[in-house]
């Protein structure tokens, strides 16, 4: 899949692109069927919601689950990102977020690049977020919310929030969010048909199989899921190879350390068997839990 000049212009202006139903129900079924088995595992890579057994986020499934290993090499997702960066990409992070019916908790307002910069020493924002819906996403089950154009602000000051949910996040304070939303259009306006336009918050919603590309500096959040419908989505972060992280402060199952360029499989890879490597199939190596506050060039110099 190639991006058109109009899509490139829109991405530059708004910071995201939405592709409804990019993957077919058959392709998504293969992925969704693999999720319960992955979520059932008692492993560090399954982070559960505060006070609940529901999985909030699962990490690194592409290293031990075959369907997700094939998704990680899917040209419909990888090609447009390589086009945008003009360079090969590697997998910086791979998550399957649960946002389960009744139990899925909020994601506070944040930018992803803030974390990658502060924790992982990723040099620049040349990394892209991709969201792929495994369930239908609607206004009730905690859809993503974006502040269009907020990526133009670069890295915004953030506080490390260790309290609100079970997962630490660098969050942007409410006063600044209010200003950014106002600048992006505020509440917007309803027309005579009850349709809202010009709103400073955008929320792409659509059927399972839809995909969003969003800039790593785009400010985003989502509310809790009080609906009876799961909102399982895969979030992949593809980083330009030259922009790889420079510190291993977070465990490898969260921030990956293999900077090899992704080699795409054919377009039908979710429906046909193609061999893929599953290095963590037999379990996560102990090294994946090891962390260091030293930059990696200092580690190599010291070796
Ligand atoms: C994220 O920002 O990483 C996740 C947001 C969500 O799942 O709603
Ligand atoms: Mn995020």
């Amino acid at each position: 899949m190639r991006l058109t000049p109009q899509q490139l212009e829109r991405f530059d202006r708004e910071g995201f692109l939405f592709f409804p139903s990019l993957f077919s129900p058959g392709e998504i079924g293969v992925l969704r069927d693999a999720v319960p088995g992955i979520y059932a595992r008692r492993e560090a890579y399954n982070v559960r919601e505060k006070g609940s057994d529901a999985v909030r986020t699962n990490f690194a499934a592409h290293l031990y689950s075959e369907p997700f290993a094939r998704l990680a090499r899917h040209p419909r997702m990888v090609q447009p990102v390589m086009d945008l960066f003009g360079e090969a990409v590697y997998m910086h992070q791979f998550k399957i977020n649960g946002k389960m019916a009744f139990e899925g908790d909020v994601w506070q307002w944040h930018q992803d690049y803030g974390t990658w910069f502060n924790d992982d020493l990723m040099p620049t924002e040349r990394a892209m977020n991709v969201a792929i819906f495994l369930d239908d996403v609607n206004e009730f089950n905690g859809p993503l919310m974006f502040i269009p154009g907020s990526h133009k602000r670069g890295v915004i000051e953030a506080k490390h929030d260790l309290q609100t949910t079970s997962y630490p996040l660098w969050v942007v304070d409410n006063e600044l969010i209010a200003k950014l939303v106002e600048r992006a259009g505020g509440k917007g306006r309803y027309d005579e048909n009850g349709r809202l336009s010009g709103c400073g918050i955008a929320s792409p919603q659509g059927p399972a199989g839809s995909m969003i590309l969003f800039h790593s500096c785009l400010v985003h959040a989502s509310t809790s899921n009080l609906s009876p419908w799961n909102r399982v989505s895969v979030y992949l972060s593809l980083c330009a190879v030259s922009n790889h992280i420079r510190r291993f402060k977070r465990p490898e199952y969260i921030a990956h350390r293999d900077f090899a360029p992704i080699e795409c499989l054919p377009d039908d890879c979710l429906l046909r068997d193609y061999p893929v490597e599953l290095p963590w199939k037999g379990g996560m190596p102990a090294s994946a839990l090891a962390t260091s506050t030293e930059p990696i060039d200092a580690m190599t110099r010291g070796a």
Side-chain angles (χ1 to χ4, degrees), residues 95 97 99 107 110 112 142 144 220 222 231 235:
K95 305 185 291 188
N97 283 5
K99 191 65 83 89
W107 289 84
H110 69 283
D112 285 2
L144 269 178
H220 60 286
S222 63
R231 196 226 62 180
Y235 289 85

Side-chain angles (χ1 to χ4, degrees), residues 3 26 30 36 62 67 85 94 97 181 192 220 232 235 250 284 290 293 303:
L3 299 177
V30 172
H62 65 306
F85 291 147
F94 191 107
N97 283 5
V181 172
E192 63 276 13
H220 60 286
V232 179
Y235 289 85
R250 300 192 295 165
M284 199 162 54
T293 52

Side-chain angles (χ1 to χ4, degrees), residues 90 120-121 123 244-249 256-257 259 292-303:
Y90 80 94
D120 307 329
L121 298 186
H244 68 79
I245 62 170
R246 303 299 203 252
R247 180 163 70 181
F248 301 156
K249 189 179 165 197
H256 298 305
R257 300 168 189 174
F259 309 140
S292 167
T293 52
E294 285 287 308
I296 49 178
D297 60 341
M299 277 157 44
T300 345
R301 274 201 309 273

Side-chain angles (χ1 to χ4, degrees), residues 52-188:
S52 152
D53 209 37
V55 170
R56 173 175 182 76
T57 186
N58 160 273
F59 288 100
H62 65 306
L63 299 180
Y64 46 83
S65 157
E66 196 166 325
F68 287 101
R70 289 196 250 132
L71 178 68
R73 295 161 172 82
H74 205 295
R76 245 176 274 161
M77 172 208 45
V78 177
Q79 188 65 52
V81 181
M82 291 202 301
D83 284 355
L84 260 165
F85 291 147
E87 189 184 337
V89 293
Y90 80 94
M91 188 66 66
H92 169 57
Q93 192 165 72
F94 191 107
K95 305 185 291 188
I96 311 171
N97 283 5
K99 191 65 83 89
M100 303 308 272
F102 300 113
E103 306 208 55
D105 205 350
V106 302
W107 289 84
Q108 313 93 302
W109 286 108
H110 69 283
Q111 294 176 304
D112 285 2
Y113 181 63
T115 302
W116 304 340
F117 176 70
N118 284 308
D119 285 347
D120 307 329
L121 298 186
M122 185 186 282
T124 74
E125 54 197 60
R126 282 167 61 76
M128 174 74 81
N129 272 319
V130 184
I132 296 170
F133 302 173
L134 300 194
D135 288 308
D136 295 351
V137 174
N138 56 41
E139 64 190 287
F140 308 109
N141 62 357
L144 269 178
M145 299 188 288
F146 296 134
I147 305 178
S150 55
H151 62 300
K152 300 265 186 194
R153 293 283 305 254
V155 180
I156 295 173
E157 203 194 317
K159 270 201 321 264
H160 208 198
D161 181 352
L162 304 158
Q163 306 295 327
T164 307
T165 75
S166 59
Y167 186 69
L169 205 60
W170 289 86
V171 306
V172 180
D173 79 44
N174 292 345
E175 223 170 287
L176 183 51
I177 294 297
K179 282 195 193 127
L180 291 173
V181 172
E182 198 50 42
R183 208 162 302 154
K187 278 197 287 191

Side-chain angles (χ1 to χ4, degrees), residues 235-271:
Y235 289 85
L236 310 94
S237 307
L238 302 175
C239 183
V241 167
S242 64
N243 192 43
H244 68 79
I245 62 170
R246 303 299 203 252
R247 180 163 70 181
F248 301 156
K249 189 179 165 197
R250 300 192 295 165
E252 189 180 2
Y253 66 86
I254 297 181
H256 298 305
R257 300 168 189 174
D258 176 359
F259 309 140
I262 296 174
E263 285 181 31
C264 288
L265 290 171
D267 192 76
D268 60 358
C269 63
L270 291 171
L271 299 174

